[in-house]
Amino acid sequence: MIYVEGGTSIQQRLAKDLYVFCSQALNIKKQIDVDLKIKVVEHAQAWTDHEGEGKFYIDIDKNLSIDKFITAFCHEMIHVIQHLRDKPISEKEAYQLEASLAESFKVKFSNG
């Protein structure tokens, strides 16, 4: 489940679509709750915090372009799966996977 606060109606709808897409693409089978805040983020485009018990907080900068918003959301969902799999949080892995995940989302939604 995703709860979205802030941002434009387009960003909110995009975040919900991205959540569903990333959950399926990253094969997240466990029930998770994501509280997403779309707001001004200092010193980053986005960040993720894991509270345990499948609870995550994600902030994404509201001033990002649509393309950067998509990529940042995908990047943060990669961190979510790292937490769920008890893998070390790896920026390197997130940066390696974010582009292909974002591109797959764009292709799926431009065709459908």
Side-chain angles (χ1 to χ4, degrees):
M1 180 76 61
I2 186 167
Y3 307 93
V4 183
E5 177 184 320
T8 66
S9 59
I10 291 170
Q11 288 172 322
Q12 291 177 3
R13 189 170 49 252
L14 182 60
K16 290 174 183 176
D17 289 342
L18 278 160
Y19 171 80
V20 170
F21 174 81
C22 288
S23 294
Q24 292 171 348
L26 294 169
N27 202 24
I28 297 174
K29 294 179 180 171
K30 182 179 180 177
Q31 172 65 37
I32 63 170
D33 290 318
V34 173
D35 283 336
L36 173 66
K37 290 185 181 176
I38 304 169
K39 62 182 193 168
V40 173
V41 176
E42 299 288 329
H43 310 294
Q45 292 183 354
W47 67 268
T48 301
D49 186 26
H50 180 218
E51 290 291 311
E53 305 287 324
K55 180 76 169 166
F56 296 89
Y57 295 94
I58 297 176
D59 287 357
I60 294 183
D61 195 296
K62 70 178 186 175
N63 297 314
L64 295 177
S65 68
I66 294 294
D67 279 348
K68 287 186 178 184
F69 186 94
I70 291 169
T71 301
F73 192 98
C74 290
H75 181 100
E76 298 311 315
M77 287 298 288
I78 292 163
H79 288 320
V80 166
I81 197 71
Q82 290 170 341
H83 281 291
L84 291 173
R85 293 182 179 161
D86 291 324
K87 293 177 82 172
I89 302 309
S90 167
E91 286 298 327
K92 181 179 178 182
E93 179 185 35
Y95 282 121
Q96 287 173 338
L97 297 176
E98 71 182 18
S100 63
L101 191 58
E103 191 57 35
S104 294
F105 173 82
K106 292 175 200 174
V107 166
K108 179 176 180 175
F109 280 83
S110 68
N111 292 333

